[in-house]
Amino acid sequence: MAALLLLESFIFLLDIDTGATISYAPFLSVPTALAAWWLGRWPALLFVLLSSIARVTDFNAMRPPHGSTLMLLYDLLQSAAFYGCVALLVLALRRQRDHLLHHARQIHATARQERHRRWLDSAIRRAVPTDVPAIIKLTSAAGEVGSFDKIVTDSVHQAALGATFQAGILNGTALRDLWTGGQSTVPIEFWVADVKGEVRSYMMILGVDQKQILPRELHAMVVDPRYRGQGLGNLMVDFFCTHYKQRTLIAACQPGSAMRHMLQKRGFLHLAQSDKGYELLRRPA
């Protein structure tokens, strides 16, 4: 602001000093335009007034004075209209520039997110037996924060889980407790997100009984705590919904959890509440 006021004063004094021969009044539009660009609407209005007053003052000092107050007012308004148009034009250009920059930033952010999503998407693959230790480690971490039953942190239980998961990956079937009671051998699939050579997330997909054509259940999903908030959980859920889109989908989650919110956004509706406190959601095929 101070620099622009100095510039305004310099032009005004130069205009006074050169007399009536040369008019520097048009150059008063420069600080007015700079104020509109750098400082915004109200400082621009101030410089419109200052430039208008400076021009009329110079006119009265170097030329015959106005014949009436009405003519003085007319000259002042005429000057304000000129400098005002300059300020409005610059403000419009600034708004257009800001709009284009905002749009460019949005495009850049969207492109970056899409690249990140494609990179993560390419990381999802079927689990192999060598992934089991990493899956167990993620399961244990989830148990420590309360996402799973605490029993999964027990080393003996982890060994049993490891054997079950390895057999499920190799055979494609597993014995499970049914939500309706009893047990049944059902289809099982494990999918992992392999990021930079390390398993950062996995999901366990189960059938609801021995038949292959019935719904698929997202029975468990874990994301490495270090990768939470990067869209990996959403990507895994999207993969589940897309890969099994021809089937009725079921998912088990804790009430009020982030998982429930993700599933609800994708059309899952409340189906039932288990006696272990889990909520079952269902999305029709």
Side-chain angles (χ1 to χ4, degrees), residues 39-58:
L39 303 178
R41 182 185 305 172
W42 297 113
L45 178 60
L46 172 63
F47 276 86
V48 167
L49 293 175
L50 291 176
S51 297
S52 300
I53 293 170
R55 179 188 175 278
V56 172
T57 300
D58 173 65

Side-chain angles (χ1 to χ4, degrees), residues 37-98:
W37 183 267
W38 295 114
L39 303 178
R41 182 185 305 172
W42 297 113
L45 178 60
L46 172 63
F47 276 86
V48 167
L49 293 175
L50 291 176
S51 297
S52 300
I53 293 170
R55 179 188 175 278
V56 172
T57 300
D58 173 65
F59 185 88
N60 279 340
M62 300 300 153
R63 295 173 179 81
H66 292 86
S68 66
T69 304
L70 187 61
M71 288 301 297
L72 177 63
L73 181 61
Y74 170 77
D75 198 20
L76 190 62
L77 291 175
Q78 177 182 252
S79 300
F82 170 73
Y83 297 117
C85 285
V86 171
L88 287 174
L89 177 60
V90 173
L91 286 170
L93 289 173
R94 175 62 186 267
R95 283 195 299 271
Q96 185 65 25
R97 196 285 305 259
D98 290 345

